[in-house]
Amino acid sequence: KGCNLPSHCAKRDPWYSIKVIDQEKRDAFFTYRVASLPVLILNDEGFCCTNSLHYVAFNDNISAEKKKWIQVSLLSVFSLVDVEYNARVYGSNVLKVEPSALTKVRVYCPDCPLSPKVYDEISTLVEKGERQQVIITASICIFKAMLLDRNVVQTICTTYNQLRQQRMGCDGVIDFGALYQAIDLFA
């Protein structure tokens, strides 16, 4: 139907073909072209995917619990500030998170259990597309585990909003009032 005619498509193998890789480890996928919220998707079933997702392979010593902490951390402001800073902007203010940029993203992965209730709440919010609430809920979880004080949290959140505003204008700014209130409760 002509989808293969633009110059970008003509230079590459067809995007719609799926190559099964020999690599056994396809532990997760990471969305790498996103307008609002990049997501790490755990791949317990060993699926393959098209090139709109990056394969992620964890070291063998990473437990299922730590994989969930990494997943939640990547949804928090703690990690997202690195995503915004290191990723490239790709047409229409979309972030393109290449593997080299993803390796620079910090995650927090404590040696304590992640509340199944909190994990399920975050998963449900992701499914519903509640981007701002996902970020706030994941950030509360991560910052609580890190025991950061309000000033540090505010600095991280302000930096994140400044980076998003540069890329997206005022539409990218998040109201972190609920996050600050939660920080005050466990401080």
Side-chain angles (χ1 to χ4, degrees), residues 8-179:
H8 187 72
C9 297
K11 295 176 189 174
R12 297 179 170 209
D13 291 335
W15 62 268
Y16 49 83
S17 69
I18 299 175
K19 294 180 183 178
V20 178
I21 60 172
D22 295 333
Q23 182 180 357
E24 291 180 21
K25 295 183 71 64
R26 293 182 297 264
D27 297 322
F29 302 117
F30 187 78
T31 54
Y32 76 100
R33 276 185 266 172
V34 293
S36 60
L37 184 65
V39 178
L40 179 72
I41 305 154
L42 298 181
N43 183 26
D44 298 329
E45 304 299 323
F47 290 113
C48 290
C49 69
T50 64
N51 73 348
S52 64
L53 300 166
H54 285 308
Y55 288 117
V56 175
F58 291 108
N59 293 336
D60 292 334
N61 62 339
I62 303 293
S63 68
E65 185 76 10
K66 288 210 181 270
K67 289 176 187 178
K68 288 181 179 180
W69 271 112
I70 292 167
Q71 192 178 27
V72 170
S73 184
L74 284 168
L75 294 169
S76 74
V77 180
F78 178 74
S79 297
L80 290 173
V81 74
D82 287 336
V83 172
E84 286 286 340
Y85 183 75
N86 291 300
R88 291 185 357 215
V89 177
Y90 183 78
S92 300
N93 297 323
V94 170
L95 283 180
K96 187 173 185 183
V97 187
E98 296 290 357
S100 59
L102 187 55
T103 62
K104 297 174 185 172
V105 175
R106 288 171 283 198
V107 294
Y108 185 70
C109 193
D111 287 325
C112 62
L114 175 61
S115 164
K117 181 181 174 186
V118 171
Y119 183 79
D120 290 344
E121 179 184 354
I122 292 169
S123 296
T124 300
L125 290 168
V126 169
E127 289 173 18
K128 290 180 177 179
E130 299 286 339
R131 180 186 66 82
Q132 181 166 320
Q133 194 56 50
V134 167
I135 293 170
I136 289 171
T137 305
S139 297
I140 290 169
C141 179
I142 293 299
F143 291 144
K144 184 176 181 181
M146 295 176 83
L147 301 173
L148 294 181
D149 72 20
R150 183 184 176 121
N151 290 335
V152 174
V153 170
Q154 283 182 305
T155 300
I156 294 169
C157 292
T158 300
T159 302
Y160 177 71
N161 270 340
Q162 288 171 345
L163 290 168
R164 285 195 49 95
Q165 190 169 17
Q166 286 176 3
R167 180 170 63 92
M168 301 178 71
C170 291
D171 293 339
V173 174
I174 293 180
D175 177 6
F176 287 112
L179 173 60

